[in-house]
Amino acid sequence: MTRPAEWAILGCMLAFCISVLNLQHDKKKWNVLQELIQHCGLIFQFEKVCIVCDRPCKLSFDEENMLHADEEAALQFADGYSVYACHRKHPSQEEQYYQQQDPESV
């Protein structure tokens, strides 16, 4: 599973099979998988490495559900990493510079 959404799909399918179809399972492994899916943001699993990212602490969208925020980060993580987006488009550094300037001085 290399796409993060696959973990959620797997969790849903397993939850259904365990709770509705009474699938025999290892309870300890199931509990670990549930905790991982519930408390982690993105999970990228590869053959010899697994990358786990926390959920963002801020995520902003416009009325069309496009990543967007005016004059602030649209996506931000607890460690300070941020993504600026204007209706899903990432402004270039030049655009960010002009957005931060006083309109009277530009």
Side-chain angles (χ1 to χ4, degrees):
M1 287 181 279
T2 57
R3 296 183 309 184
E6 290 176 351
W7 283 100
I9 293 167
L10 172 66
C12 291
M13 290 186 333
L14 284 173
F16 174 80
C17 291
I18 290 169
S19 63
V20 176
L21 303 177
N22 296 319
L23 175 72
Q24 297 299 313
H25 63 286
D26 182 323
K27 292 181 194 247
K28 185 175 180 179
K29 289 180 181 178
W30 173 235
N31 287 337
V32 169
L33 182 61
Q34 283 181 305
E35 290 288 320
L36 185 65
I37 292 171
Q38 289 174 3
H39 298 288
C40 293
L42 303 173
I43 304 168
F44 299 91
Q45 179 187 357
F46 302 97
E47 188 173 329
K48 294 185 179 186
V49 70
C50 181
I51 300 169
V52 180
C53 301
D54 202 359
R55 290 183 176 100
C57 57
K58 178 183 175 191
L59 191 56
S60 302
F61 297 96
D62 64 11
E63 61 280 346
E64 295 178 13
N65 290 326
M66 302 280 210
L67 193 59
H68 173 77
D70 288 321
E71 301 180 17
E72 60 186 12
L75 174 67
Q76 188 170 19
F77 290 88
D79 67 356
Y81 179 78
S82 302
V83 174
Y84 288 79
C86 183
H87 302 289
R88 192 187 75 190
K89 297 178 184 169
H90 300 277
S92 68
Q93 289 181 344
E94 182 179 5
E95 289 174 321
Q96 287 180 19
Y97 171 80
Y98 286 114
Q99 288 175 356
Q100 294 171 355
Q101 300 303 309
D102 178 11
E104 299 299 320
S105 67
V106 177

